[in-house]
Amino acid sequence: MEAVDVFAEELLRRFGATKVSFLIVDLTGRAVARLSTAGAVEDGREAERIPLFGSVYEVVIRTQRPYQKATDQGQRVIVPVTNRGDAIGLLELFLPATPAPDVLEAVGEAAHVLAYVVIANGRFTDLYTWGKRSRPPTLAAEIQYQLLPPSLSCEAAQFTLCGSLEPSAALSGDTFDYALDRDTLHISVTDPMGHDIDAALAATVLVGALRGARRAGAGLAEQAHLADQALADHNRGHATGQLLRINLHTGRAQLVNAGHPWPLRMRDGITETIICQVDHPFGLSVRLPQPYRVQDIDLRSGDRLLMLTDGMLERHGDKVDLADLLEKTRDLHPRETALILTSAVLDAAGGRLEDDVTVMCLDWHGPQHTQRHVSSGADTRQASAARTKYP
């Protein structure tokens, strides 16, 4: 945490700022917490939490562009702290005079450096993790959060993606994961049986098996087989899941479906279900010993792909028209779309879910794209516009 304080103090000196703050986006994506303010003495672990909806902070997160306005405290400047599309938080400064364009550019570059500072120091402290949480998690939730990828969003030349998880009151063990190799994007969405600690432990075995197999270079069918075997060997019940692999050079997309809801694809503004072959859930190989099938799916440049768990479709999820909502949010970054989709189900449930709801939203730009167009950690061409009338 001191690293951020030192960074803020340096900005005070470098730009003559009167106040510098770092705000981190919490796990819900609906609020930010002010973790550090240069010059302030902070005791304990109290942090100001500010709802994002309708705030200037939301505008900066969504658009990934700086904000500047004159106030009675001086010129207020807010810039995004982002790395590869992962919106970590915001840097807020109050300057004594209107900043020149080169100063604004320097502040933006400083915010991008701060993203790396937070990522690097996150290995040694719990404070950033604490700042991302609006309330203490249960043991099961703690386990589930640790199974998610460190960054919920990722941008590359060929794609942009983001996942969103809304845990239920009893927690059902949903997870999503992704990894980017030199020439391959790997994505998985999984949903074990059970609730609370049983679901969390099953998810731990499942995700551990999938990551271990992937990192060992196993193909999709072998990854699925090892995950299936792990659940069976450790008596952790069964789980549905979907594994996706995309070749970044050719655009070839392959999928294994283990009893999981089919993905949705939006192409040219129209959403349709990708109907694919369904194999048995993970953990049932003793009763259903058939091998997992690897199948090609049609993925073209400009497509938006949505992978989801059954909580998005059943119980309260059936009150939400996902296809319509997906089409209405097409112009938004996957980060905002994923959050809007899970929030819609949460709202339909009156704020109390009976099952986890999880989505992974992927924009496929195509293998012909080899360079990112970035501005301090984000591709602003892919960023969302400021909120209008979206849900």
Side-chain angles (χ1 to χ4, degrees), residues 19-322:
K19 184 178 178 182
V20 178
S21 297
F22 169 57
L23 302 95
I24 195 166
V25 178
D26 78 5
L27 281 173
T28 68
R30 299 184 184 90
V32 290
R34 195 182 303 275
L35 287 192
S36 176
T37 301
V41 177
E42 298 180 10
D43 296 322
R45 288 193 169 187
E46 294 298 324
E48 178 189 7
R49 295 190 181 272
I50 306 164
L52 270 179
F53 182 80
S55 72
V56 65
Y57 299 125
E58 181 193 30
V59 173
V60 177
I61 290 292
R62 288 167 68 93
T63 65
Q64 287 295 299
R65 296 181 183 276
Y67 167 90
Q68 176 191 346
K69 186 176 182 179
T71 72
D72 55 5
Q73 299 182 60
Q75 289 288 326
R76 186 187 188 192
V77 176
I78 306 171
V79 291
V81 177
T82 302
N83 179 56
R84 290 204 69 146
D86 181 29
I88 297 169
L90 300 152
L91 183 63
E92 183 175 28
L93 302 86
F94 286 88
L95 303 175
T98 302
D102 61 324
V103 172
L104 281 179
E105 182 178 356
V107 171
E109 291 173 352
H112 192 200
V113 173
L114 178 58
Y116 287 100
V117 171
V118 173
I119 292 169
N121 283 279
R123 298 178 296 168
F124 311 113
T125 179
D126 288 333
L127 287 172
Y128 304 130
T129 300
W130 164 81
K132 292 179 180 180
R133 297 174 177 178
S134 56
R135 61 182 183 273
T138 63
L139 174 58
E142 179 67 48
I143 294 171
Q144 187 177 24
Y145 289 144
Q146 295 306 311
L147 297 175
L148 298 178
S151 299
L152 304 186
S153 297
C154 181
E155 292 179 355
Q158 299 90 346
F159 69 87
T160 305
L161 65 77
C162 186
S164 179
L165 163 66
E166 274 291 346
S168 60
L171 196 137
S172 302
D174 280 14
T175 62
F176 61 85
D177 199 15
Y178 70 88
L180 180 60
D181 293 340
R182 181 173 298 175
D183 58 0
T184 306
L185 172 64
H186 305 267
I187 298 175
S188 67
V189 177
T190 55
D191 180 6
M193 66 176 290
H195 295 281
D196 291 322
I197 196 68
D198 288 335
L201 293 177
T204 300
V205 173
L206 178 60
V207 173
L210 287 171
R211 286 177 174 168
R214 186 189 71 216
R215 291 164 179 169
L220 277 186
E222 182 65 9
Q223 290 177 36
H225 169 70
L226 291 173
D228 171 76
Q229 190 175 51
L231 285 180
D233 289 349
H234 296 280
N235 297 313
R236 288 297 166 190
H238 67 269
T240 69
Q242 201 150 235
L243 313 180
L244 176 67
R245 181 176 61 190
I246 304 173
N247 186 300
L248 300 179
H249 300 312
T250 66
R252 184 184 185 189
Q254 295 180 297
L255 179 141
V256 166
N257 184 298
H260 202 74
W262 288 327
L264 301 178
R265 178 183 57 218
M266 184 165 58
R267 176 177 294 163
D268 298 328
I270 299 174
T271 301
E272 59 184 348
T273 300
I274 299 178
I275 299 174
C276 53
Q277 297 172 324
V278 179
D279 293 319
H280 61 82
F282 302 124
L284 296 182
S285 57
V286 175
R287 285 184 283 166
L288 301 167
Q290 296 92 342
Y292 289 98
R293 292 168 290 184
V294 177
Q295 51 201 301
D296 289 327
I297 63 170
D298 180 19
L299 188 64
R300 304 177 191 174
S301 301
D303 285 354
R304 170 165 282 185
L305 187 70
L306 190 75
M307 296 170 64
L308 65 165
T309 58
D310 61 7
M312 293 292 298
L313 303 171
E314 301 172 354
R315 298 181 176 90
H316 299 287
D318 61 6
K319 302 175 185 176
V320 177
D321 188 338
L322 284 181

